[in-house]
Amino acid sequence: MQQQVGNRLKPFFENINFEREDNTMVVNFGPQHPSAHGQMRLILELQGEEVVKARPDVGYLHRGMEKMAENMIYNEFLPTTDRMDYIASTSNNYGFALAVEKLLDIQVPRRAEIIRTMLLELNRIISHLFWLATHALDVGAMSVFLYTFREREFAMDLMEDYCGARLTHSAVRIGGVPLDLPSSWCEDLQKYLKILEVEVDKYEGLLTENRIWRMRLENVGIITPELAKSWGVSGVALRGSGIKWDLRREMPYGIYPELDFDIPVATTGDSYGRYKCYMQEIRESIKILRQLVPMYKSSQSELMAHAPEYISAPKEQIMTQNYSLMQHFVLVTQGMRPPKGEIYVATESPKGELGFMIVSDGSPYAYKLKLRAPSFFHTGLLEDLLPGHQLADVVTLIGNLNVVFGEIDR
């Protein structure tokens, strides 16, 4: 019996060369690897420990979100945007809402814009803290992971106080915001910012001059300005290469033109330079949030744009006025009908340029919706970035580029 089994299997092994004269091998990094930050299959050709070729293979998490958007009325799709970059869901909500508002040509009330910007910058802090925690853990720094998640939980408490959710917020509406801030929310925010400012200094005290941290990040993953431009890199990955480009400044939207904040830039182009940009961006978000508190307190009380053709009336009117009730019923069951046209709106999400292109044919459904996700371009960059690095640096670079596959396999 053993001889029969051996004879049957023998042809399968005859063409396999177990003795190789070189050290070249092909390995699959993912899609189940915990440091792949999602369902990415990275095909690596190795010469010993050195990466010779790299090919990112995406599509294992494909959910057809763009096609879903074309089969949902506009308000129905907004909560689905939470599930793209689920670490910074408010930035997705805002980007989609802003694109639809540009298509409708409606103006959002100032108080709503202030609340939106507060949520956006708070969500930026949440996203950057999550990035630092997971990146440090990938490299081997366990303590930083615990400390940053602690401050992230406090920030998520503030989000929960506002909208009732911690991860997928749906805190923005087309035309404004659904709720005003709770009575003590601004005071709680200021207390949190005071704590966070001290803790960020502690994070840098643990990492910035840490010998192992610098050995793992310095001169690793150098993105030249030419390489960044050729791959459409944006966000911190672009600013870490010395290119001062932030859509909040270069293509301003909302109330960002009224705010005083700096754009952190590094000239080294390596992982260490990008790390320093992320840390400084947290401080700039703290600065922005502190400016927004007095702006909020001096603003009027309107939270939604007045556009009966597209936006439901306030709940008080819906419950007391027959016309508002009928109009609300039509908008909920049939959806709004935007004018025919095509629009592309880009915003500065925590990971880079997040853009929504909408083509409208005048129906309640988008004829075409296309999403420009920063993580998609940064994943493609790995093809040119990884060769020449050691296998251990692959984990460092994937974490340092801050990719989330929810917005890649969309």
Side-chain angles (χ1 to χ4, degrees):
M1 181 66 180
Q2 292 178 351
Q3 186 176 5
Q4 290 178 355
V5 173
N7 291 336
R8 189 169 68 247
L9 295 179
K10 186 176 181 181
F12 292 96
F13 290 105
E14 285 180 349
N15 296 324
I16 298 177
N17 183 12
F18 290 98
E19 300 294 331
R20 296 180 62 108
E21 296 181 359
D22 58 16
N23 289 325
T24 302
M25 62 185 300
V26 177
V27 299
N28 284 311
F29 185 95
Q32 76 290 338
H33 197 286
S35 294
H37 290 254
Q39 280 64 44
M40 174 176 68
R41 178 191 180 205
L42 190 60
I43 306 169
L44 300 174
E45 183 176 327
L46 303 176
Q47 182 72 37
E49 288 287 320
E50 182 181 338
V51 178
V52 179
K53 290 182 182 179
R55 181 191 169 194
D57 185 14
V58 302
Y60 293 88
L61 191 67
H62 183 62
R63 293 169 291 173
M65 282 194 172
E66 293 167 337
K67 187 56 64 178
M68 288 168 62
E70 297 165 12
N71 289 275
M72 292 180 174
I73 62 177
Y74 290 92
N75 282 316
E76 276 184 323
F77 181 65
L78 195 140
T80 307
T81 61
D82 284 327
R83 278 77 183 170
M84 295 187 306
D85 178 6
Y86 37 81
I87 308 302
S89 58
T90 296
S91 64
N92 307 330
N93 296 158
Y94 181 79
F96 176 69
L98 188 62
V100 177
E101 288 157 8
K102 296 288 185 183
L103 185 64
L104 301 176
D105 193 24
I106 60 176
Q107 187 68 36
V108 175
R110 179 175 177 80
R111 191 179 186 88
E113 281 288 13
I114 294 170
I115 294 174
R116 284 174 160 192
T117 311
M118 284 179 161
L119 299 178
L120 283 172
E121 292 305 315
L122 185 61
N123 206 187
R124 191 181 306 276
I125 290 172
I126 291 172
S127 177
H128 284 4
L129 290 176
F130 186 90
W131 167 84
L132 181 61
T134 54
H135 182 34
L137 190 64
D138 285 344
V139 175
M142 182 73 178
S143 298
V144 179
F145 169 82
L146 299 174
Y147 298 150
T148 51
F149 256 62
R150 177 186 59 197
E151 272 67 62
R152 178 174 174 266
E153 284 295 313
F154 294 150
M156 292 169 71
D157 288 343
L158 289 167
M159 294 297 301
E160 185 178 16
D161 288 343
Y162 175 73
C163 65
R166 299 179 67 82
L167 188 68
T168 51
H169 306 135
S170 296
V172 176
R173 296 290 184 272
I174 297 171
V177 291
L179 301 166
D180 203 352
L181 296 178
S183 57
S184 62
W185 199 86
C186 288
E187 289 71 23
D188 294 338
L189 174 65
Q190 290 175 314
K191 292 177 185 176
Y192 170 70
L193 297 179
K194 188 174 181 180
I195 295 171
L196 180 63
E197 202 167 34
V198 175
E199 296 301 325
V200 171
D201 291 338
K202 293 181 181 179
Y203 306 154
E204 288 202 301
L206 287 169
L207 293 177
T208 303
E209 298 302 326
N210 184 292
R211 181 169 58 91
I212 300 174
W213 182 254
R214 296 188 67 165
M215 288 174 61
R216 293 299 304 272
L217 268 66
E218 285 185 325
N219 297 318
V220 173
I222 296 177
I223 304 174
T224 64
E226 294 74 23
L227 183 63
K229 291 176 183 178
S230 67
W231 276 100
V233 172
S234 58
V236 174
L238 180 64
R239 295 188 286 274
S241 299
I243 300 176
K244 195 172 184 177
W245 180 266
D246 190 309
L247 293 175
R248 295 173 294 175
R249 278 280 184 256
E250 304 300 330
M251 300 171 62
Y253 51 90
I255 60 169
Y256 281 110
E258 304 176 36
L259 299 171
D260 176 30
F261 62 98
D262 297 323
I263 308 299
V265 176
T267 57
T268 55
D270 60 357
S271 297
Y272 190 73
R274 291 188 287 274
Y275 151 73
K276 297 187 80 172
C277 283
Y278 271 109
M279 301 309 293
Q280 191 57 35
E281 279 203 1
I282 295 176
R283 294 188 174 94
E284 293 302 317
S285 291
I286 293 173
K287 185 194 299 184
I288 291 173
L289 286 165
R290 283 178 171 156
Q291 295 173 59
L292 289 170
V293 172
M295 294 172 66
Y296 166 78
K297 292 180 178 179
S298 63
S299 62
Q300 300 296 322
S301 60
E302 290 83 3
L303 298 176
M304 291 291 290
H306 180 70
E309 188 179 356
Y310 307 120
I311 309 295
S312 291
K315 188 172 182 180
E316 294 78 7
Q317 294 183 24
I318 294 173
M319 301 299 290
T320 57
Q321 298 178 14
N322 191 38
Y323 174 77
S324 296
L325 176 62
M326 290 189 296
Q327 174 248 0
H328 174 69
F329 178 80
V330 171
L331 287 174
V332 170
T333 57
Q334 299 179 21
M336 67 179 79
R337 293 179 179 272
K340 294 181 180 180
E342 181 178 323
I343 192 81
Y344 175 79
V345 173
T347 57
E348 188 71 29
S349 82
K351 294 172 178 58
E353 180 182 339
L354 175 65
F356 286 88
M357 188 198 78
I358 301 175
V359 179
S360 170
D361 60 358
S363 70
Y365 305 90
Y367 176 77
K368 180 70 176 178
L369 185 139
K370 185 65 179 176
L371 170 67
R372 195 266 186 213
S375 293
F376 181 79
F377 294 86
H378 298 166
T379 301
L381 173 68
L382 293 171
E383 185 173 325
D384 284 346
L385 195 61
L386 290 179
H389 287 87
Q390 298 296 302
L391 180 61
D393 296 330
V394 174
V395 174
T396 301
L397 284 173
I398 292 175
N400 189 263
L401 287 176
N402 197 8
V403 296
V404 167
F405 267 72
E407 67 176 13
I408 296 175
D409 293 338
R410 55 190 178 277

